[in-house]
Amino acid sequence: MILDQTDLELIKMLQSDCKKTTKQYADALNLSKTAVYERIRRLERNGIVTQYVALVDKEKVNRNFTVLCHIRLVQHTKDNVLKFEREILKLDEVSECFHVGGDYDYILKINVEDMKSYREFMITKLTAINNIGNTQSSFVINEVKNSPTVHVA
């Protein structure tokens, strides 16, 4: 799908506030409501817009202790990698998981209440996953930038 400038502007608007009405987007883009509605549906059908979510203030729900956990697997067989990834998908505390190259195999972003909660998570859930060779945890001091948006040209 080729995106024109109007599509790109619409994507930026949706990422900024997806709760606006089609009329509000139409007015901002100087288009009809029908044209904007069709553009949004096309973006969804083509998998460019994949979902709409509500962003939650981590502090207000007691999940503002953020940990970046680097994980190295013992063995890198296809079965072990897929099993590890299936297990990670079950952990609610893990908000992001990246399979990476370099010294470690995975980086997890984990949100819990505090250090005690992180220790409990490590002992009862994370280290219970087979094939983890070692872990290294980094604790976020301050979140300088956290943007859920993808920059579109």
Side-chain angles (χ1 to χ4, degrees), residues 56 58 61-67 84-97 108-113 117-118 120-122 124-126 129:
V56 175
K58 291 182 290 240
V61 295
N62 252 353
R63 295 294 177 269
N64 60 325
F65 189 77
T66 303
V67 181
F84 173 80
E85 291 176 359
R86 275 195 304 274
E87 292 300 313
I88 289 300
L89 292 173
K90 297 176 188 175
L91 302 176
D92 292 332
E93 295 87 349
V94 177
S95 61
E96 298 180 56
C97 174
L108 309 180
K109 182 177 177 184
I110 300 163
N111 293 101
V112 290
E113 185 175 351
S117 301
Y118 181 62
E120 183 67 20
F121 168 78
M122 284 291 289
T124 62
K125 295 182 180 181
L126 190 60
I129 298 173

Side-chain angles (χ1 to χ4, degrees), residues 58-59 64-68 109 138-146:
K58 291 182 290 240
E59 191 168 330
N64 60 325
F65 189 77
T66 303
V67 181
L68 301 176
K109 182 177 177 184
S138 299
F139 307 101
V140 174
I141 295 168
N142 183 38
E143 196 172 271
V144 176
K145 181 178 181 179
N146 180 355

Side-chain angles (χ1 to χ4, degrees), residues 2 13 43 64 88 96 99 123:
I2 297 173
M13 294 169 75
L43 291 169
N64 60 325
I88 289 300
E96 298 180 56
H99 191 178
I123 291 170

Side-chain angles (χ1 to χ4, degrees), residues 68-83:
L68 301 176
C69 182
H70 296 68
I71 295 177
R72 186 177 296 127
L73 299 181
V74 174
Q75 293 181 319
H76 297 92
T77 66
K78 182 179 178 180
D79 282 346
N80 286 337
V81 166
L82 295 176
K83 284 178 189 175

